[in-house]
Amino acid sequence: MNFNERIESLFEEYQRQRNSLTEMQQRMKELSATATSPRREVSVTVGQNGVLTDVKFPSGAHKRLTPADLTDLIMATYAEAKESVMAQAATVLAPMLPDGMDANALVRGTAGTDAYLPAEPRMATSVREILGMGRAAQ
């Protein structure tokens, strides 16, 4: 493959990755999860990044709770919904990540520095070859 063909191939790969990223962003925007407390006192819905989007009281059961108990129940149900949407986000993100990156840690903000900027830069084999780096480990 000559230099021009390689550049064209790299550009095509860039376009594929860009299109995949656009699709992933759309899927991330649409993420939503709803959790309902065990006795149906409260139902909580969250969107992307666990942002609270709705709270409902599907039955009158919440009226029997003290304000403190209702607060605790809402917070626990919110945590359940948030965990669900974070798991969805990790599932959407995972195919876009290089091998070895933990999508769950990334969406939860617990990934270390190496997850974002590893000591050895990640690059496509074709770029390594152009730079004369051979097939060094990524």
Side-chain angles (χ1 to χ4, degrees):
M1 183 181 291
N2 71 34
F3 183 74
N4 287 336
E5 289 171 337
R6 253 186 209 201
I7 295 297
E8 185 64 31
S9 174
L10 288 172
F11 183 72
E12 288 171 2
E13 178 59 26
Y14 169 80
Q15 287 300 107
R16 278 191 294 277
Q17 289 178 356
R18 184 170 164 76
N19 291 341
S20 292
L21 182 58
T22 299
E23 180 182 315
M24 183 205 63
Q25 286 176 319
Q26 184 60 38
R27 289 180 62 201
M28 293 290 269
K29 286 179 189 177
E30 296 169 355
L31 290 179
S32 178
T34 300
T36 302
S37 62
R39 294 187 181 135
R40 301 191 39 79
E41 299 96 339
V42 65
S43 176
V44 176
T45 302
V46 298
Q48 181 186 18
N49 295 326
V51 174
L52 183 66
T53 59
D54 195 16
V55 176
K56 292 182 180 174
F57 301 95
S59 69
H62 68 282
K63 295 175 185 176
R64 294 187 300 265
L65 299 173
T66 66
D69 288 342
L70 181 57
T71 298
D72 290 346
L73 188 60
I74 290 170
M75 294 306 293
T77 307
Y78 166 76
E80 183 182 337
K82 183 177 177 185
E83 178 57 32
S84 177
V85 85
M86 291 299 206
Q88 290 176 40
T91 300
V92 170
L93 182 61
M96 297 292 294
L97 299 177
D99 290 341
M101 287 188 79
D102 183 354
N104 285 306
L106 286 174
V107 299
R108 287 170 175 78
T110 60
T113 303
D114 285 345
Y116 300 101
L117 295 172
E120 188 66 31
R122 293 178 181 96
M123 60 181 82
T125 302
S126 55
V127 173
R128 287 185 177 279
E129 290 171 355
I130 289 171
L131 296 175
M133 297 171 76
R135 293 189 172 263
Q138 291 188 19

